[in-house]
Amino acid sequence: METHKRVLGILYIVTGLFQILLFSFLSAIFSTLFPHLVEKAGEGAWALQWVSSLGGVIAITLIVVFAIPSLIAGVGILNNKQWALVLALILGCFKLFSFPIGTIIGIYTIWVFSEHQKQIKTTT
C-alpha cells in the first residue's frame, strides 16, 4: 500500500507542476497576443482588454485552486501526512472530470483512499 501512496504523491506533484506550467504558458501567450489584437480592433478594443484581464484572473485562480493544492497534497502524501490523503481525495474527485488522464488519476486516488481506509479498519 505504501508503494501506491508514493506513486499517488508523485502523480499529484507532477500534475500540479504541469498545470502551473500550462496555465503560465497560456497566460504568456494571451498576454502577448491580446495587445496586438487590441491595437488592430479599433472600436471593440475595450472588449478585448476586458477579456484579456479576465483571462489572467482565471489562469491565476485555476493555479491557486487546483495546481497548488495538488502540489501540497503530493508532498503531504510523500511525507505520510494523514490530511494529505483526504485533500488528494477531494482533488481526485475534481480530476474525474478531466478526461482521460485526470479520470484515471481520480479513480486511482479513490482506490488508494479506500484501500487505506480498509487497512486502518483492519489494524484497529
Side-chain angles (χ1 to χ4, degrees):
M1 193 68 215
E2 292 303 315
T3 305
H4 291 290
K5 287 185 195 175
R6 182 168 168 76
V7 168
L8 189 65
I10 292 169
L11 279 173
Y12 271 86
I13 290 172
V14 168
T15 57
L17 289 174
F18 180 72
Q19 287 172 338
I20 289 173
L21 288 173
L22 178 69
F23 292 137
S24 299
F25 179 71
L26 289 176
S27 180
I29 286 175
F30 285 122
S31 65
T32 304
L33 180 65
F34 271 101
H36 297 295
L37 293 175
V38 167
E39 218 175 86
K40 304 287 183 191
E43 281 187 35
W46 65 271
L48 286 174
Q49 288 174 339
W50 185 78
V51 168
S52 174
S53 62
L54 181 66
V57 169
I58 289 173
I60 290 170
T61 303
L62 289 173
I63 287 172
V64 168
V65 171
F66 291 110
I68 293 175
S70 289
L71 289 172
I72 293 170
V75 170
I77 290 171
L78 290 178
N79 290 323
N80 291 321
K81 302 294 182 185
Q82 193 68 22
W83 55 264
L85 205 53
V86 175
L87 178 60
L89 178 66
I90 294 167
L91 293 170
C93 290
F94 286 116
K95 286 182 185 289
L96 287 172
F97 298 107
S98 180
F99 185 78
I101 303 297
T103 304
I104 294 167
I105 294 172
I107 291 169
Y108 186 59
T109 302
I110 293 169
W111 179 79
V112 169
F113 184 80
S114 65
E115 290 297 315
H116 177 72
Q117 293 301 317
K118 285 182 195 175
Q119 188 178 23
I120 288 175
K121 286 182 181 179
T122 58
T123 59
T124 56

